[in-house]
Amino acid sequence: MNTAAAAFTVSLEFSAVRSAARLDLRLEFRERVFACMSHEEFVHPWQYEQHGPVPRLSPPWERYAFPVLKVHDSRWLASFSDSQILDVELPEVIHYRFVTLDHTADVLASGEVHASWVPVDR
């Protein structure tokens, strides 16, 4: 078990949604993060590009995408050169996408990701 501090952390504040549980999701990327980007609503470069169905939440949120996604055949990952991500590292890199009500964040990482639900006092 790796007990080192996270190299990069993403927190999804589900507790801020009205009538939601007082829990937030914390994801800790503990090994290698190659790149990350965050875009406000409606400005993500691939917002309207889909290569298949996107997983959706269940009612009453069925209009919304599942908040934690793995992107397959990532255009963003493909845009990196061998001097940025080595060919031997490439098979291990995963493109994660986090979708919130007003932001979309993307992370390119390899290695262990630790997820935990964090109680919030609000």
Side-chain angles (χ1 to χ4, degrees):
M1 181 172 143
N2 183 349
T3 58
F8 189 80
T9 301
V10 172
S11 294
L12 299 172
E13 296 180 347
F14 292 106
S15 63
V17 176
R18 191 178 329 159
S19 73
R22 295 192 184 284
L23 295 170
D24 291 341
L25 181 61
R26 178 180 299 148
L27 295 116
E28 298 173 356
F29 294 85
R30 295 187 169 181
E31 293 185 32
R32 183 105 192 256
V33 173
F34 294 88
C36 61
M37 65 177 173
S38 176
H39 294 87
E40 290 188 23
E41 189 175 24
F42 306 119
V43 296
H44 192 280
W46 302 292
Q47 176 173 337
Y48 299 106
E49 180 180 302
Q50 294 181 12
H51 298 284
V54 174
R56 302 274 176 201
L57 294 172
S58 58
W61 301 94
E62 66 271 7
R63 290 185 14 213
Y64 298 94
F66 197 79
V68 181
L69 303 167
K70 282 186 181 178
V71 178
H72 299 280
D73 301 320
S74 167
R75 286 183 56 193
W76 186 40
L77 177 56
S79 73
F80 284 77
S81 69
D82 336 358
S83 65
Q84 294 169 310
I85 299 176
L86 299 174
D87 284 341
V88 296
E89 295 174 308
L90 207 50
E92 303 300 319
V93 179
I94 296 174
H95 179 174
Y96 296 93
R97 177 163 295 152
F98 304 98
V99 182
T100 71
L101 295 174
D102 58 357
H103 278 83
T104 300
D106 294 272
V107 175
L108 292 179
S110 64
E112 180 183 348
V113 180
H114 180 263
S116 58
W117 288 103
V118 180
V120 176
D121 294 324
R122 287 188 202 193

PDB file of all heavy atoms in Angstrom, residues 43-59:
ATOM      1  N   VAL A  43     -17.369  25.639 -22.472  1.00  0.00           N
ATOM      2  CA  VAL A  43     -16.150  26.004 -23.191  1.00  0.00           C
ATOM      3  C   VAL A  43     -15.153  24.850 -23.325  1.00  0.00           C
ATOM      4  O   VAL A  43     -14.069  25.049 -23.846  1.00  0.00           O
ATOM      5  CB  VAL A  43     -15.441  27.236 -22.566  1.00  0.00           C
ATOM      6  CG1 VAL A  43     -16.320  28.465 -22.671  1.00  0.00           C
ATOM      7  CG2 VAL A  43     -15.038  26.979 -21.135  1.00  0.00           C
ATOM      8  N   HIS A  44     -15.501  23.668 -22.887  1.00  0.00           N
ATOM      9  CA  HIS A  44     -14.606  22.524 -23.052  1.00  0.00           C
ATOM     10  C   HIS A  44     -14.428  22.251 -24.545  1.00  0.00           C
ATOM     11  O   HIS A  44     -15.402  22.243 -25.297  1.00  0.00           O
ATOM     12  CB  HIS A  44     -15.189  21.289 -22.351  1.00  0.00           C
ATOM     13  CG  HIS A  44     -14.225  20.168 -22.233  1.00  0.00           C
ATOM     14  ND1 HIS A  44     -13.960  19.320 -23.267  1.00  0.00           N
ATOM     15  CD2 HIS A  44     -13.445  19.768 -21.196  1.00  0.00           C
ATOM     16  CE1 HIS A  44     -13.062  18.433 -22.881  1.00  0.00           C
ATOM     17  NE2 HIS A  44     -12.738  18.689 -21.631  1.00  0.00           N
ATOM     18  N   PRO A  45     -13.191  22.036 -25.014  1.00  0.00           N
ATOM     19  CA  PRO A  45     -12.958  21.893 -26.460  1.00  0.00           C
ATOM     20  C   PRO A  45     -13.669  20.706 -27.101  1.00  0.00           C
ATOM     21  O   PRO A  45     -13.964  20.736 -28.294  1.00  0.00           O
ATOM     22  CB  PRO A  45     -11.436  21.748 -26.579  1.00  0.00           C
ATOM     23  CG  PRO A  45     -10.944  21.442 -25.223  1.00  0.00           C
ATOM     24  CD  PRO A  45     -11.954  21.964 -24.246  1.00  0.00           C
ATOM     25  N   TRP A  46     -13.964  19.649 -26.332  1.00  0.00           N
ATOM     26  CA  TRP A  46     -14.635  18.483 -26.909  1.00  0.00           C
ATOM     27  C   TRP A  46     -15.998  18.247 -26.274  1.00  0.00           C
ATOM     28  O   TRP A  46     -16.505  17.132 -26.255  1.00  0.00           O
ATOM     29  CB  TRP A  46     -13.754  17.244 -26.753  1.00  0.00           C
ATOM     30  CG  TRP A  46     -12.431  17.438 -27.397  1.00  0.00           C
ATOM     31  CD1 TRP A  46     -12.184  17.555 -28.742  1.00  0.00           C
ATOM     32  CD2 TRP A  46     -11.176  17.600 -26.754  1.00  0.00           C
ATOM     33  NE1 TRP A  46     -10.852  17.761 -28.956  1.00  0.00           N
ATOM     34  CE2 TRP A  46     -10.196  17.794 -27.753  1.00  0.00           C
ATOM     35  CE3 TRP A  46     -10.766  17.595 -25.420  1.00  0.00           C
ATOM     36  CZ2 TRP A  46      -8.858  17.969 -27.461  1.00  0.00           C
ATOM     37  CZ3 TRP A  46      -9.431  17.776 -25.139  1.00  0.00           C
ATOM     38  CH2 TRP A  46      -8.497  17.963 -26.152  1.00  0.00           C
ATOM     39  N   GLN A  47     -16.625  19.309 -25.805  1.00  0.00           N
ATOM     40  CA  GLN A  47     -17.891  19.188 -25.093  1.00  0.00           C
ATOM     41  C   GLN A  47     -18.972  18.506 -25.931  1.00  0.00           C
ATOM     42  O   GLN A  47     -19.743  17.709 -25.429  1.00  0.00           O
ATOM     43  CB  GLN A  47     -18.375  20.563 -24.661  1.00  0.00           C
ATOM     44  CG  GLN A  47     -19.733  20.535 -24.000  1.00  0.00           C
ATOM     45  CD  GLN A  47     -20.109  21.880 -23.446  1.00  0.00           C
ATOM     46  OE1 GLN A  47     -19.259  22.708 -23.178  1.00  0.00           O
ATOM     47  NE2 GLN A  47     -21.379  22.105 -23.269  1.00  0.00           N
ATOM     48  N   TYR A  48     -19.053  18.841 -27.189  1.00  0.00           N
ATOM     49  CA  TYR A  48     -20.143  18.322 -28.018  1.00  0.00           C
ATOM     50  C   TYR A  48     -19.714  17.141 -28.877  1.00  0.00           C
ATOM     51  O   TYR A  48     -20.494  16.627 -29.649  1.00  0.00           O
ATOM     52  CB  TYR A  48     -20.714  19.442 -28.887  1.00  0.00           C
ATOM     53  CG  TYR A  48     -21.265  20.556 -28.037  1.00  0.00           C
ATOM     54  CD1 TYR A  48     -20.593  21.765 -27.913  1.00  0.00           C
ATOM     55  CD2 TYR A  48     -22.437  20.380 -27.305  1.00  0.00           C
ATOM     56  CE1 TYR A  48     -21.085  22.779 -27.103  1.00  0.00           C
ATOM     57  CE2 TYR A  48     -22.929  21.384 -26.494  1.00  0.00           C
ATOM     58  CZ  TYR A  48     -22.252  22.583 -26.403  1.00  0.00           C
ATOM     59  OH  TYR A  48     -22.736  23.575 -25.592  1.00  0.00           O
ATOM     60  N   GLU A  49     -18.476  16.703 -28.724  1.00  0.00           N
ATOM     61  CA  GLU A  49     -17.973  15.577 -29.494  1.00  0.00           C
ATOM     62  C   GLU A  49     -18.121  14.312 -28.666  1.00  0.00           C
ATOM     63  O   GLU A  49     -17.601  14.217 -27.569  1.00  0.00           O
ATOM     64  CB  GLU A  49     -16.496  15.825 -29.808  1.00  0.00           C
ATOM     65  CG  GLU A  49     -15.865  14.737 -30.605  1.00  0.00           C
ATOM     66  CD  GLU A  49     -14.417  15.072 -30.866  1.00  0.00           C
ATOM     67  OE1 GLU A  49     -14.142  16.126 -31.448  1.00  0.00           O
ATOM     68  OE2 GLU A  49     -13.567  14.271 -30.464  1.00  0.00           O
ATOM     69  N   GLN A  50     -18.844  13.347 -29.193  1.00  0.00           N
ATOM     70  CA  GLN A  50     -19.024  12.087 -28.486  1.00  0.00           C
ATOM     71  C   GLN A  50     -18.772  10.944 -29.450  1.00  0.00           C
ATOM     72  O   GLN A  50     -19.134  11.011 -30.617  1.00  0.00           O
ATOM     73  CB  GLN A  50     -20.427  11.971 -27.920  1.00  0.00           C
ATOM     74  CG  GLN A  50     -20.731  12.961 -26.837  1.00  0.00           C
ATOM     75  CD  GLN A  50     -22.130  12.778 -26.285  1.00  0.00           C
ATOM     76  OE1 GLN A  50     -22.783  11.792 -26.556  1.00  0.00           O
ATOM     77  NE2 GLN A  50     -22.597  13.738 -25.525  1.00  0.00           N
ATOM     78  N   HIS A  51     -18.129   9.909 -28.953  1.00  0.00           N
ATOM     79  CA  HIS A  51     -17.857   8.720 -29.750  1.00  0.00           C
ATOM     80  C   HIS A  51     -18.653   7.554 -29.188  1.00  0.00           C
ATOM     81  O   HIS A  51     -18.144   6.463 -29.033  1.00  0.00           O
ATOM     82  CB  HIS A  51     -16.359   8.405 -29.737  1.00  0.00           C
ATOM     83  CG  HIS A  51     -15.529   9.491 -30.331  1.00  0.00           C
ATOM     84  ND1 HIS A  51     -15.443   9.703 -31.681  1.00  0.00           N
ATOM     85  CD2 HIS A  51     -14.783  10.451 -29.760  1.00  0.00           C
ATOM     86  CE1 HIS A  51     -14.660  10.734 -31.922  1.00  0.00           C
ATOM     87  NE2 HIS A  51     -14.250  11.209 -30.763  1.00  0.00           N
ATOM     88  N   GLY A  52     -19.884   7.774 -28.873  1.00  0.00           N
ATOM     89  CA  GLY A  52     -20.718   6.754 -28.278  1.00  0.00           C
ATOM     90  C   GLY A  52     -21.495   7.345 -27.124  1.00  0.00           C
ATOM     91  O   GLY A  52     -21.306   8.500 -26.755  1.00  0.00           O
ATOM     92  N   PRO A  53     -22.368   6.542 -26.541  1.00  0.00           N
ATOM     93  CA  PRO A  53     -23.194   7.050 -25.454  1.00  0.00           C
ATOM     94  C   PRO A  53     -22.365   7.348 -24.200  1.00  0.00           C
ATOM     95  O   PRO A  53     -21.427   6.645 -23.878  1.00  0.00           O
ATOM     96  CB  PRO A  53     -24.182   5.908 -25.198  1.00  0.00           C
ATOM     97  CG  PRO A  53     -23.560   4.701 -25.784  1.00  0.00           C
ATOM     98  CD  PRO A  53     -22.635   5.162 -26.871  1.00  0.00           C
ATOM     99  N   VAL A  54     -22.715   8.428 -23.546  1.00  0.00           N
ATOM    100  CA  VAL A  54     -22.069   8.822 -22.291  1.00  0.00           C
ATOM    101  C   VAL A  54     -22.940   8.298 -21.155  1.00  0.00           C
ATOM    102  O   VAL A  54     -24.160   8.489 -21.177  1.00  0.00           O
ATOM    103  CB  VAL A  54     -21.937  10.365 -22.209  1.00  0.00           C
ATOM    104  CG1 VAL A  54     -21.405  10.790 -20.860  1.00  0.00           C
ATOM    105  CG2 VAL A  54     -21.055  10.875 -23.325  1.00  0.00           C
ATOM    106  N   PRO A  55     -22.348   7.631 -20.170  1.00  0.00           N
ATOM    107  CA  PRO A  55     -23.165   7.144 -19.043  1.00  0.00           C
ATOM    108  C   PRO A  55     -23.892   8.295 -18.355  1.00  0.00           C
ATOM    109  O   PRO A  55     -23.322   9.366 -18.153  1.00  0.00           O
ATOM    110  CB  PRO A  55     -22.131   6.515 -18.099  1.00  0.00           C
ATOM    111  CG  PRO A  55     -20.927   6.283 -18.921  1.00  0.00           C
ATOM    112  CD  PRO A  55     -20.945   7.310 -20.014  1.00  0.00           C
ATOM    113  N   ARG A  56     -25.158   8.068 -18.049  1.00  0.00           N
ATOM    114  CA  ARG A  56     -25.995   9.093 -17.423  1.00  0.00           C
ATOM    115  C   ARG A  56     -26.384   8.671 -16.014  1.00  0.00           C
ATOM    116  O   ARG A  56     -26.402   7.498 -15.685  1.00  0.00           O
ATOM    117  CB  ARG A  56     -27.277   9.294 -18.243  1.00  0.00           C
ATOM    118  CG  ARG A  56     -27.041   9.698 -19.670  1.00  0.00           C
ATOM    119  CD  ARG A  56     -26.902  11.163 -19.788  1.00  0.00           C
ATOM    120  NE  ARG A  56     -26.588  11.536 -21.161  1.00  0.00           N
ATOM    121  CZ  ARG A  56     -26.039  12.669 -21.488  1.00  0.00           C
ATOM    122  NH1 ARG A  56     -25.771  13.559 -20.565  1.00  0.00           N
ATOM    123  NH2 ARG A  56     -25.751  12.947 -22.724  1.00  0.00           N
ATOM    124  N   LEU A  57     -26.725   9.675 -15.212  1.00  0.00           N
ATOM    125  CA  LEU A  57     -27.206   9.414 -13.859  1.00  0.00           C
ATOM    126  C   LEU A  57     -28.647   8.913 -13.907  1.00  0.00           C
ATOM    127  O   LEU A  57     -29.338   9.056 -14.919  1.00  0.00           O
ATOM    128  CB  LEU A  57     -27.123  10.691 -13.023  1.00  0.00           C
ATOM    129  CG  LEU A  57     -25.704  11.204 -12.765  1.00  0.00           C
ATOM    130  CD1 LEU A  57     -25.758  12.574 -12.098  1.00  0.00           C
ATOM    131  CD2 LEU A  57     -24.922  10.232 -11.919  1.00  0.00           C
ATOM    132  N   SER A  58     -29.112   8.388 -12.805  1.00  0.00           N
ATOM    133  CA  SER A  58     -30.498   7.920 -12.728  1.00  0.00           C
ATOM    134  C   SER A  58     -31.401   9.081 -12.309  1.00  0.00           C
ATOM    135  O   SER A  58     -30.923  10.114 -11.841  1.00  0.00           O
ATOM    136  CB  SER A  58     -30.595   6.757 -11.745  1.00  0.00           C
ATOM    137  OG  SER A  58     -30.129   7.141 -10.483  1.00  0.00           O
ATOM    138  N   PRO A  59     -32.732   8.931 -12.495  1.00  0.00           N
ATOM    139  CA  PRO A  59     -33.667  10.000 -12.139  1.00  0.00           C
ATOM    140  C   PRO A  59     -33.476  10.442 -10.699  1.00  0.00           C
ATOM    141  O   PRO A  59     -33.141   9.628  -9.853  1.00  0.00           O
ATOM    142  CB  PRO A  59     -35.029   9.346 -12.338  1.00  0.00           C
ATOM    143  CG  PRO A  59     -34.785   8.279 -13.361  1.00  0.00           C
ATOM    144  CD  PRO A  59     -33.391   7.780 -13.075  1.00  0.00           C
TER     145      PRO A  59
END
